[in-house]
């Protein structure tokens, strides 16, 4: 099937700042076409101070059934949701929203995609000791999913200590005794998981002390541009199994499309 671009085409925006790195427009549009849905995903470069204006205008665009949200708007987008899934409430962020008869419903598939991507690349999450770097919108969702999938220990490293502590406090009641404060030292962990944008820009520091990685560890990263982040390249050079960012997105493509087509308040 091919896209029938016409007056009945539904438009799904993916918004972020920056936005040039995202693969969603082509990949999600292809998924819509495969399902026989007359919809297209297009990028929207929206700065943080314009998010309110974007959502105000989206409300009046009747052929916009949903929106995908990326860095750095995942937490801000929560305030425009009338309903949140349990996963989004734990993550305190959303990466996909769907318009329904009762208002906008928000969910977060980042954690599912990240963890399923690791498993698809040969990693083992159940009973693993995990170091997670980053407690922002994506990091919070990834933290929840690691624990829900049975990780034995999750240490969180985040330069914003208040954000780190707030995430641990949200998750501790559901997963008692399995959370701790981490650092940039990956020693002793089975999985070293970057959930920050570090590596998207030239000159970014690495998220952990890569000289302390060993070949027995698994390294994962959410960045899709460059295709293989400096962290992933450094870990692979040591002999680690890796999951670059595209692995995460490929794992959650269908989750995003399903949410955009069927998500309801729960």
């Amino acid at each position: 099937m091919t896209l029938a671009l016409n007056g009945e085409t539904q438009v799904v925006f993916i918004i972020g700042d920056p936005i040039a790195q995202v693969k969603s427009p082509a990949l999600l549009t292809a998924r819509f076409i495969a399902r026989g849905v007359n919809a297209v995903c297009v990028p929207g470069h929206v700065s943080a101070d314009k998010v309110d204006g974007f959502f105000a205008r989206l409300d009046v665009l009747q052929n916009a059934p949903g929106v995908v949200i990326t860095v750095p708007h995942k937490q801000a987008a929560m305030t425009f949701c009338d309903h949140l899934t349990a996963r989004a409430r734990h993550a305190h962020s959303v990466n996909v929203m769907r318009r329904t008869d009762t208002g906008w419903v928000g969910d977060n598939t980042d954690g599912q995609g990240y963890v399923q991507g690791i498993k698809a690349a040969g990693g083992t999450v159940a009973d693993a000791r995990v170091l997670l770097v980053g407690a922002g919108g994506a990091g919070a969702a990834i933290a929840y999913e690691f624990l829900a999938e049975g990780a034995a220990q999750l240490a969180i490293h985040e330069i914003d200590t208040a954000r780190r502590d707030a995430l641990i406090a949200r998750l501790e009641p559901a997963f008692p005794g399995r959370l701790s404060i981490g650092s940039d030292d990956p020693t002793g962990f089975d999985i070293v998981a970057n959930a920050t944008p570090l590596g998207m820009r030239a000159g970014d520091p690495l998220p952990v002390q890569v000289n302390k990685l060993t070949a027995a560890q698994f390294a994962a990263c959410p960045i899709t541009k460059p295709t293989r982040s400096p962290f992933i390249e450094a870990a692979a050079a040591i002999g680690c199994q890796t999951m670059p960012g595209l692995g995460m997105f490929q794992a959650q493509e269908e989750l995003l499309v399903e949410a955009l087509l069927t998500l309801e308040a729960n």
Side-chain angles (χ1 to χ4, degrees):
M1 299 181 67
T2 59
L3 175 65
L5 190 58
N6 54 39
E8 296 182 336
T9 301
Q10 301 289 296
V11 180
V12 173
F13 287 96
I14 175 168
I15 63 166
D17 183 18
I19 200 66
Q21 78 282 0
V22 298
K23 311 297 183 184
S24 306
L27 296 173
L28 294 185
T29 299
R31 292 270 180 171
F32 287 134
I33 293 170
R35 282 179 171 234
V37 176
N38 185 3
V40 60
C41 179
V42 296
H45 192 172
V46 181
S47 59
D49 61 333
K50 302 296 184 183
V51 171
D52 289 13
F54 170 81
F55 279 105
R57 289 160 179 82
L58 189 68
D59 270 338
V60 302
L61 188 60
Q62 296 183 40
N63 66 324
V67 58
V68 179
I69 303 100
T70 188
V71 175
H73 305 319
K74 295 179 183 182
Q75 290 170 320
M78 283 184 64
T79 63
F80 303 99
C81 295
D82 300 289
H83 312 281
L84 294 170
T85 64
R87 181 177 284 105
R89 286 194 294 271
H90 274 99
H92 205 64
S93 63
V94 298
N95 77 328
V96 61
M97 294 166 55
R98 178 173 180 260
R99 191 198 306 261
T100 72
D101 292 340
T102 59
W104 288 96
V105 183
D107 194 9
N108 196 316
T109 65
D110 280 334
Q112 293 170 286
Y114 198 98
V115 170
Q116 289 181 23
I118 288 174
K119 292 162 71 174
T124 300
V125 174
D127 298 322
R129 297 161 296 173
V130 181
L131 172 62
L132 176 66
V133 183
I142 292 166
Y144 173 85
E145 208 64 33
F146 269 129
L147 294 165
E149 287 285 327
Q153 175 191 0
L154 179 68
I156 301 175
H157 174 51
E158 163 66 64
I159 58 173
D160 184 336
T161 57
R163 183 159 65 178
R164 174 202 66 199
D165 294 347
L167 175 58
I168 290 174
R170 286 201 308 275
L171 293 174
E172 181 66 28
F175 306 101
R178 293 161 61 188
L179 289 135
S180 62
I181 294 172
S183 71
D184 66 350
D185 184 350
T187 303
F189 293 95
D190 302 306
I191 298 173
V192 182
N194 178 39
T196 76
L198 291 175
M200 286 176 59
R201 296 178 174 87
D204 278 351
L206 293 170
V208 299
Q209 300 176 50
V210 295
N211 61 306
K212 293 186 177 181
L213 291 172
T214 69
Q217 293 173 301
F218 192 104
C221 188
I223 293 170
T224 57
K225 188 176 183 179
T227 305
R228 292 173 62 83
S229 70
F231 169 57
I232 289 295
E233 290 286 12
I238 291 167
C240 299
Q241 285 183 282
T242 62
M243 182 203 69
L246 192 57
M248 169 187 173
F249 187 78
Q250 288 173 335
Q252 68 168 323
E253 279 179 54
E254 190 61 24
L255 295 170
L256 284 171
V257 170
E258 190 66 22
L260 288 164
L261 296 177
T262 67
L263 185 62
E264 295 285 349
N266 60 15

